Amino acid sequence: MARILYAGDSTVAFNKINSYPQTGMSQGLSLYVKEDVEIKSFAKNGRSTKSFIAEGRLAAIEKELQEGDYLFVQFGHNDAKDDPARHTCPDTDFQENLLTFARTAADHGAHAVFITPIARRNFDEKGVFVPGSHGGYPEAMKEAAKKAGVPVIDLTSVTEAYLEGVGELWSRPLFVWPKDNTHLKYEGAVMMAGFLAKGLLALGGGYAGLIQEENGED
C-alpha cells in the first residue's frame, strides 16, 4: 500500500462537522487516488512552515514516515502573516524550512513533493481577478525544490489561471464565500485536488502511479 503524508494549512486540512462547510484538499484528493493509496493528513489550520515545525508537527510526521512514502508539503498562505510565530521570509527561512521537510523525507527513504499554495479568490470591484496574493512564496518554493532536488507542482499558477477564467460569480461556490475567499468548500477541494492529481500524473513514475485512471481502471 502506498501512503501520502500531507503537511499543510487550512486549505489542506481534513475537516469535521465543526468546521463545515470548510473542506481541505486532503479530503478532495481521496477521490483521485487508487484504492490502495492511504492519505494521512497532518495539515492544521493557520500553520506556516515555521509554526508547523515549531509545534512538533513535522516531528509527528517523521515518526510515521516509512521508506517509499510520499511527503506532500503545501504552504504559503500563512508564512506571510505579520505574526512572529508564523512569519518567514521567502528568500531565507521559508526555503530553509522547506529544505528541512525534504531532508526529513530523504532520511527515511520517502519522496517529498513541494506544492505551491492555491490562489485566493481575489477579485477587484470590477470583477477582474487579481493574481499574486501569495507574493514571493510560490517562486521561493520552486527555488527550494531545485535546491532539494525534489519535484514541485505549481498549483498557484494553475489555480490563478482557473479562477481568472471561470470568473467572480462562478468561483463563489468553490470557496466559503461570502465568509472568506481562502477556505474551500467541498466542490472547491475536489476541483483543487483535481489539479494536484493532474500535476502528479505529469510527474510520471511512482507519482503518477498514485492516481486513479479516469476510466476507473488501475
Side-chain angles (χ1 to χ4, degrees), residues 184-203:
L184 301 168
K185 291 198 291 189
Y186 179 78
E187 295 83 357
V190 171
M191 178 66 69
M192 302 306 176
F195 293 135
L196 174 56
K198 289 180 180 178
L200 291 165
L201 287 171
L203 290 178

Side-chain angles (χ1 to χ4, degrees), residues 47-125:
R47 272 48 181 191
S48 68
T49 56
K50 181 178 181 178
S51 61
F52 193 94
I53 293 171
E55 293 173 3
R57 298 182 187 279
L58 178 56
I61 289 175
E62 187 169 16
K63 290 180 181 179
E64 293 268 353
L65 270 178
Q66 301 173 10
E67 185 175 355
D69 284 346
Y70 293 84
L71 175 57
F72 287 8
V73 182
Q74 183 173 338
F75 289 96
H77 278 81
N78 299 303
D79 282 81
K81 299 284 188 181
D82 186 16
D83 173 4
R86 293 187 287 177
H87 180 79
T88 64
C89 173
D91 296 325
T92 55
D93 49 343
F94 178 63
Q95 293 193 41
E96 292 166 6
N97 292 341
L98 291 171
L99 293 177
T100 298
F101 280 92
R103 284 194 298 269
T104 300
D107 288 345
H108 293 271
H111 311 284
V113 181
F114 290 173
I115 304 164
T116 64
I118 60 169
R120 287 188 171 92
R121 184 186 171 278
N122 189 16
F123 291 85
D124 67 16
E125 64 279 359

Side-chain angles (χ1 to χ4, degrees), residues 166-210:
V166 76
E168 192 277 334
L169 179 63
W170 293 102
S171 62
R172 292 178 185 179
L174 304 178
F175 290 80
V176 188
W177 182 91
K179 181 180 178 181
D180 70 63
N181 295 303
T182 296
H183 300 108
L184 301 168
K185 291 198 291 189
Y186 179 78
E187 295 83 357
V190 171
M191 178 66 69
M192 302 306 176
F195 293 135
L196 174 56
K198 289 180 180 178
L200 291 165
L201 287 171
L203 290 178
Y207 306 102
L210 298 169

